[in-house]
Amino acid sequence: MKKIISLIALFLVTFSFAQVKWMTIEEALKAQKENPKKILIDFYADWCAPCKIMDKKTYGHQVISDILNESYYPVKFNAEDKKEIEIFGRKFSNPNTEHKKGRNSLHEFTQYMNVAAVPSTVFLDESGNPITILQGELSAKELEPYLEFISKDLFKKIRSREQWEDYQKKFKSKIKE
């Protein structure tokens, strides 16, 4: 009986936490061909404390994970990864890893996406073209308006700082603090 209760408790704990269904960039671009959606790429590094905070508190928030899983193909990409990837008709690698002293060198794909620091969040449209980049650690409440703004193509209508500020004022967050 104790084993059954333990298994049920473990099951409930496992599924009560928000979980983003992370993909590789290759998987996301392939899925995009069958069912077009925007891509969100979370560029991180293993040593990056703000990246770990975002992973737990921002992407771990139920509202954020629900939006990402429904409206995006969410991708995690280690900005210093050593493996070679082939996307956009070319190969990207990190050939300087072996010779670099100190922190690891940035992967060529990281540089291609104009990511110079982690954490950075990059949004791609349904064709894999860049929309924008958000640099630095973002809380769930800070990221949420961008997720709706980009997923619903509202960014195509904003032409001035005043319009953006108006959007932010009118935005109704689903996050209760």
Side-chain angles (χ1 to χ4, degrees), residues 45-159:
D46 292 334
W47 52 263
C48 171
C51 299
K52 292 174 183 169
I53 292 168
M54 272 190 76
D55 205 33
K56 184 177 181 180
K57 293 187 176 183
T58 304
Y59 297 122
H61 195 286
Q62 189 67 53
V63 170
I64 299 301
S65 66
D66 287 348
I67 295 169
L68 287 176
N69 290 332
E70 183 179 320
S71 301
Y72 291 87
Y73 291 119
V75 170
K76 269 208 165 304
F77 192 86
N78 184 339
E80 301 174 337
D81 204 351
K82 293 173 177 69
K83 71 176 177 145
E84 182 176 275
I85 60 171
E86 190 169 343
I87 52 173
F88 304 129
R90 64 181 276 197
K91 291 181 182 180
F92 297 94
S93 63
N94 195 349
N96 300 321
T97 304
E98 304 303 320
H99 311 301
K100 179 113 172 155
K101 293 190 189 301
R103 286 207 173 128
N104 294 326
S105 61
L106 291 177
H107 194 278
E108 289 172 341
F109 178 64
T110 304
Q111 296 173 47
Y112 179 78
M113 288 284 118
N114 291 320
V115 172
V118 290
S120 286
T121 307
V122 174
F123 293 88
L124 305 180
D125 69 13
E126 293 82 355
S127 300
N129 298 311
I131 296 172
T132 194
I133 181 171
L134 304 175
Q135 295 183 324
E137 180 185 343
L138 298 168
S139 68
K141 197 137 179 113
E142 291 169 326
L143 181 60
E144 183 190 17
Y146 287 98
L147 295 178
E148 179 178 294
F149 183 69
I150 292 170
S151 70
K152 295 181 178 177
D153 287 331
L154 300 175
F155 69 94
K156 293 178 180 179
K157 299 173 185 170
I158 300 292
R159 299 282 178 233

